[in-house]
Amino acid sequence: MNYHWNWGIFWDASPEGAGTYADMLIGGLRITLAVSVLAWMIALTTGSAVGVLRSLPNPWLKRLANAYIELLRNIPLLVQLFLWYFVLPEIVPEAWGDWLKSLRDAPFYTAVIGLGLFMSARVAVQVSTGIAALPRGQMAAGLALGLTLPQTYRYVILPNAFRVILPPLTSETINTIKNSSVALTIGLAELTARARAIQEFSFQVFEAFTAATLIYLVINMIATLLMRMLERQMRIPGYGAK
Amino acid sequence: MTDTIIALQNVSKWYNPAFQVLKDCTLAVPKGEVVVVCGPSGSGKSTLIKCINALESFREGEITVDGVRLHEKGVNLPKLRARVGMVFQHFELFPHLSVLDNLDLAQIKVLGRGKQEARTKSEALLHRVELSEHANKFPGQLSGGQQQRVAIARALAMDPVVMLFDEPTSALDPEMVSEVLDVMVKLAHEGMTMMVVTHEMGFARKVAHRVVFMDRGEIVVDAPKDAFFGDVGNERAKLFLSKILQH
């Protein structure tokens, strides 16, 4: 292989006019982080709500939650992003479609919502599993004290269920960050897309993707570390590993 | 009749669709009485007691608790349950809350007591069940007997008009049974209205006014304590008693 290594490439000016190649990566990292954080917030809130619905005794609410989960979990993320980005503007009333197409940061919003909803199905499954893992008497005890059903969820069921599912939620946090790279296919200039752009401008494919790889590794390790700290913070004295 | 706290009238319940767990149960618990409910496992004792605070539904009959008619539509269940204390077989303390917070939670969220008022009440109750030094521990750091005493204190914190006990000592190691029963005996002597599902016949002898024997979903015997332990006059109850009193 006749490859010309050039690790100094990152300090060269990029052909985009402003800044260096390194600035391109940093810009991509910013977008990756922004998409991941916002999508994760959607995933947590929506996923928790659907997970709670799935745990309720009402069969219709349970079916509704299951339908939501199966739909979003069984269609590939790539296809979902295409559906939101390319298909949705064509099937809504024309005025709305035109508005959607004229949105300046459409790839960004689409990635946040599309990725957020995709991950919410996975969070929903975790949340309802965590609830099901608690002793059934906990619900009875909350209700027996006169707490309403929402209060019982808020003060008894969810605080315990979330403790149970913190470890799997760590994986889902990391999955969200990794999956944000799929958004390059709808034209979002996130980290992977910027690494590719560097390769196309400079032909330094190894340097570009080595840098991207390292950056992903570091942010995911930081995310894992933060979740571990949260787990330690949330640990209940007298329970779990002694 | 003097103040009746709990009145069951011909209560029947089915587990869909064919299995009848409660058959035509009629029972009244006047204010200040201690009623012990016993019977073989699967006889419907726990189901019966859970119907009284509507943790279980029933299909036929009427249940009235402190004037609230459970069989009618639109009953404010949380409000009713706040006045009915319940102690579970497996304690069911909230594991993520300290002992004090377990006692405070419903006082604040349900009764609307202030933080300080609730705390004062909780501390007094913990003192009463002799667990003051464990106030800031978590349930997982306590023994089963201690947890059950906390659970009793938690129920009492709501100033209930009646206390329901669902096999409160069945999940305990033998050496911890008496510390829980002692608390219950004290409570009975103070005049608390109590309905207790238990196999602890010693407790029944000591404080019960009446003993109810259930078998296959039916209330077979409902007799004053002395009559029950004297000559119960029912073959099934006799057989049951002879089995649990053997040792």
Side-chain angles (χ1 to χ4, degrees):
Chain A
M1 189 176 73
N2 196 359
Y3 184 78
H4 175 69
W5 288 93
N6 177 14
W7 286 104
I9 181 77
F10 298 112
W11 316 118
D12 292 354
S14 85
E16 286 180 335
T20 60
Y21 281 111
D23 292 328
M24 286 174 71
L25 281 178
I26 292 167
L29 171 62
R30 276 212 194 100
I31 294 178
T32 289
L33 289 177
V35 167
S36 302
V37 168
L38 293 175
W40 188 230
M41 281 161 59
I42 292 179
L44 270 183
T45 47
T46 316
S48 301
V50 175
V52 166
L53 281 190
R54 197 182 190 224
S55 75
L56 293 174
N58 184 314
W60 284 105
L61 292 178
K62 195 173 289 194
R63 263 170 231 155
L64 189 74
N66 276 327
Y68 178 92
I69 289 166
E70 294 309 332
L71 190 71
L72 288 167
R73 196 165 60 158
N74 293 327
I75 302 171
L77 174 60
L78 182 61
V79 175
Q80 290 192 31
L81 288 186
F82 282 2
L83 286 174
W84 291 119
Y85 193 68
F86 297 117
V87 179
L88 182 71
E90 306 301 332
I91 55 172
V92 294
E94 210 178 308
W96 298 7
D98 289 343
W99 178 77
L100 281 171
K101 286 180 215 167
S102 68
L103 267 181
R104 239 188 88 234
D105 294 317
F108 181 79
Y109 299 128
T110 308
V112 166
I113 294 169
L115 179 59
L117 294 182
F118 175 76
M119 294 306 298
S120 75
R122 306 177 57 97
V123 172
V125 173
Q126 304 287 5
V127 169
S128 68
T129 313
I131 293 171
L134 303 179
R136 276 192 58 206
Q138 288 282 299
M139 177 75 78
L143 295 176
L145 281 167
L147 295 171
T148 60
L149 189 65
Q151 281 178 324
T152 306
Y153 269 93
R154 163 75 182 77
Y155 298 112
V156 178
I157 302 299
L158 288 180
N160 286 302
F162 272 108
R163 281 179 171 87
V164 173
I165 63 169
L166 261 182
L169 279 188
T170 304
S171 319
E172 299 302 348
T173 312
I174 294 167
N175 280 340
T176 307
I177 298 170
K178 290 187 292 187
N179 283 341
S180 68
S181 63
V182 175
L184 82 87
T185 56
I186 55 169
L188 185 69
E190 46 69 66
L191 185 55
T192 309
R194 299 313 274 162
R196 256 188 72 194
I198 294 176
Q199 174 226 324
E200 277 162 7
F201 288 139
S202 70
F203 302 105
Q204 302 299 138
V205 58
F206 288 108
E207 292 84 345
F209 280 99
T210 304
T213 304
L214 289 176
I215 294 172
Y216 276 120
L217 263 176
V218 168
I219 55 178
N220 280 331
M221 273 156 47
I222 292 172
T224 308
L225 213 70
L226 289 176
M227 290 296 280
R228 292 264 181 285
M229 279 164 62
L230 187 66
E231 268 176 58
R232 217 161 310 151
Q233 198 77 40
M234 294 287 108
R235 191 166 292 158
I236 303 163
Y239 277 85
K242 293 199 175 159
Chain B
M1 206 155 58
T2 51
D3 286 3
T4 303
I5 300 287
I6 300 172
L8 283 79
Q9 197 68 47
N10 307 106
V11 173
S12 291
K13 177 183 171 72
W14 285 260
Y15 282 138
N16 298 321
F19 182 64
Q20 191 170 0
V21 275
L22 295 179
K23 292 179 194 161
D24 221 15
C25 295
T26 298
L27 179 74
V29 182
K31 192 173 164 65
E33 248 196 33
V34 177
V35 175
V36 163
V37 183
C38 61
S41 78
S43 61
K45 318 176 290 284
S46 289
T47 308
L48 184 79
I49 206 168
K50 281 179 182 154
C51 282
I52 292 168
N53 65 354
L55 287 179
E56 294 268 2
S57 60
F58 54 99
R59 200 196 292 173
E60 284 176 11
E62 299 180 354
I63 298 183
T64 308
V65 179
D66 196 31
V68 179
R69 299 151 70 83
L70 290 192
H71 45 280
E72 287 177 355
K73 280 211 162 78
V75 177
N76 185 338
L77 289 181
K79 205 174 153 199
L80 167 88
R81 288 173 180 143
R83 287 151 66 201
V84 178
M86 177 118 191
V87 175
F88 297 86
Q89 183 176 358
H90 295 286
F91 332 134
E92 304 302 349
L93 295 178
F94 306 135
H96 64 299
L97 299 178
S98 73
V99 167
L100 270 177
D101 287 336
N102 261 278
L103 269 66
D104 286 350
L105 179 68
Q107 292 187 65
I108 294 168
K109 301 298 172 192
V110 177
L111 301 181
R113 285 182 186 152
K115 179 100 191 141
Q116 203 46 54
E117 189 190 355
R119 180 107 321 174
T120 309
K121 176 101 188 166
S122 302
E123 279 166 352
L125 281 165
L126 283 181
H127 180 71
R128 199 163 140 194
V129 297
E130 292 168 33
L131 288 170
S132 293
E133 70 271 34
H134 300 292
N136 293 309
K137 287 191 181 165
F138 284 79
Q141 298 171 305
L142 302 180
S143 72
Q146 291 169 333
Q147 289 191 55
Q148 194 62 300
R149 279 145 68 201
V150 173
I152 294 172
R154 180 175 71 176
L156 290 174
M158 304 297 285
D159 293 321
V161 292
V162 55
M163 287 282 286
L164 308 176
F165 295 83
D166 186 11
E167 305 208 29
T169 57
S170 304
L172 294 175
D173 290 334
E175 78 271 21
M176 295 171 184
V177 170
S178 64
E179 64 185 77
V180 171
L181 290 180
D182 286 348
V183 171
M184 292 167 62
V185 168
K186 225 160 74 181
L187 207 55
H189 287 326
E190 286 164 16
M192 174 62 78
T193 311
M194 293 163 67
M195 194 163 159
V196 185
V197 174
T198 186
H199 290 159
E200 296 292 338
M201 288 303 124
F203 171 80
R205 277 215 169 90
K206 206 183 278 180
V207 296
H209 296 91
R210 271 161 51 221
V211 181
V212 168
F213 173 74
M214 286 185 77
D215 191 20
R216 284 173 243 161
E218 277 177 279
I219 292 179
V220 181
V221 179
D222 178 355
K225 170 181 62 179
D226 294 335
F228 187 84
F229 288 114
D231 179 16
V232 64
N234 174 283
E235 284 311 312
R236 279 190 278 177
K238 242 183 220 164
L239 186 67
F240 174 77
L241 270 181
S242 73
K243 277 181 186 162
I244 64 167
L245 291 180
Q246 250 169 19
H247 35 242

